[in-house]
Amino acid sequence: MYLTHRPIQPGDIPAICNFPQGADELFYMFPKATYPLTPVQLSDAIAQRSGSTVVVDKGTVLAFANFYKAEHGGVCALGNVVVAPAARGRGVARYLVTAMIDLARQQYAAREVWVSCFNHNTAGLLLYPQLGFIPFGIEERQAWDGTRVALVQMKQLLS
């Protein structure tokens, strides 16, 4: 794989909508969305957020993320993180999150990058600390099916 990243383009949206493989995965990526993810839901989220970025390999979109909060000189909060099913476990999420940290640094002069991860999202819970994120809080939330879940909040201080 030769991974690159770029700002999202309208033509990327239908492919990204197919990444979440069920209501649980969509909840991890985008808690306010209703499964299945539609181009309208994703486009509305992108319009309200900053830094929407895709990871690409040979023209194929493999991953997506953005910032739901982007304060110049302050905090950038990572959201809507998702990787194509066929690309999982191959370093794509690591590449994506690293690219987003760089974007927070370069475009927003951010002091911190935050990410939140639900307790059932094992891949995320294992990845983020490897990339330097430290847990700082846990909030109770309600999953799409009404069950109680824990949202683990993590941050990375940027130098």
Side-chain angles (χ1 to χ4, degrees):
M1 277 194 302
Y2 178 70
L3 301 178
T4 58
H5 62 281
R6 60 169 169 75
I8 194 167
Q9 298 168 355
D12 301 330
I13 291 173
I16 295 165
C17 287
N18 291 318
F19 291 175
Q21 300 293 290
D24 282 337
E25 284 188 14
L26 178 59
F27 183 72
Y28 301 158
M29 171 205 174
F30 185 178
K32 292 179 180 158
T34 304
Y35 188 80
L37 182 58
T38 63
V40 170
Q41 290 181 93
L42 185 56
S43 296
D44 287 350
I46 290 166
Q48 297 171 35
R49 293 172 177 229
S50 309
S52 290
T53 299
V54 293
V55 174
V56 180
D57 178 39
K58 299 183 192 92
T60 302
V61 174
L62 299 180
F64 169 74
N66 56 33
F67 298 120
Y68 63 87
K69 177 183 193 174
E71 303 169 343
H72 193 81
V75 171
C76 283
L78 195 54
N80 290 160
V81 179
V82 67
V83 175
R88 294 176 186 170
R90 298 169 60 196
V92 176
R94 178 179 300 274
Y95 177 92
L96 173 63
V97 174
T98 301
M100 296 303 290
I101 292 167
D102 290 344
L103 183 64
R105 244 190 209 110
Q106 293 161 13
Q107 190 169 329
Y108 299 99
R111 290 189 329 268
E112 298 179 10
V113 175
W114 292 3
V115 66
S116 296
C117 190
F118 288 102
N119 60 294
H120 293 116
N121 184 354
T122 304
L125 289 174
L126 294 173
L127 173 67
Y128 296 124
Q130 289 176 7
L131 296 175
F133 287 87
I134 298 164
F136 71 91
I138 297 177
E139 288 181 15
E140 182 174 330
R141 294 285 175 90
Q142 193 170 42
W144 64 273
D145 62 359
T147 58
R148 292 171 68 200
V149 291
L151 183 65
V152 180
Q153 299 165 316
M154 297 179 236
K155 67 181 170 185
Q156 182 179 125
L157 301 177
L158 304 180
S159 50

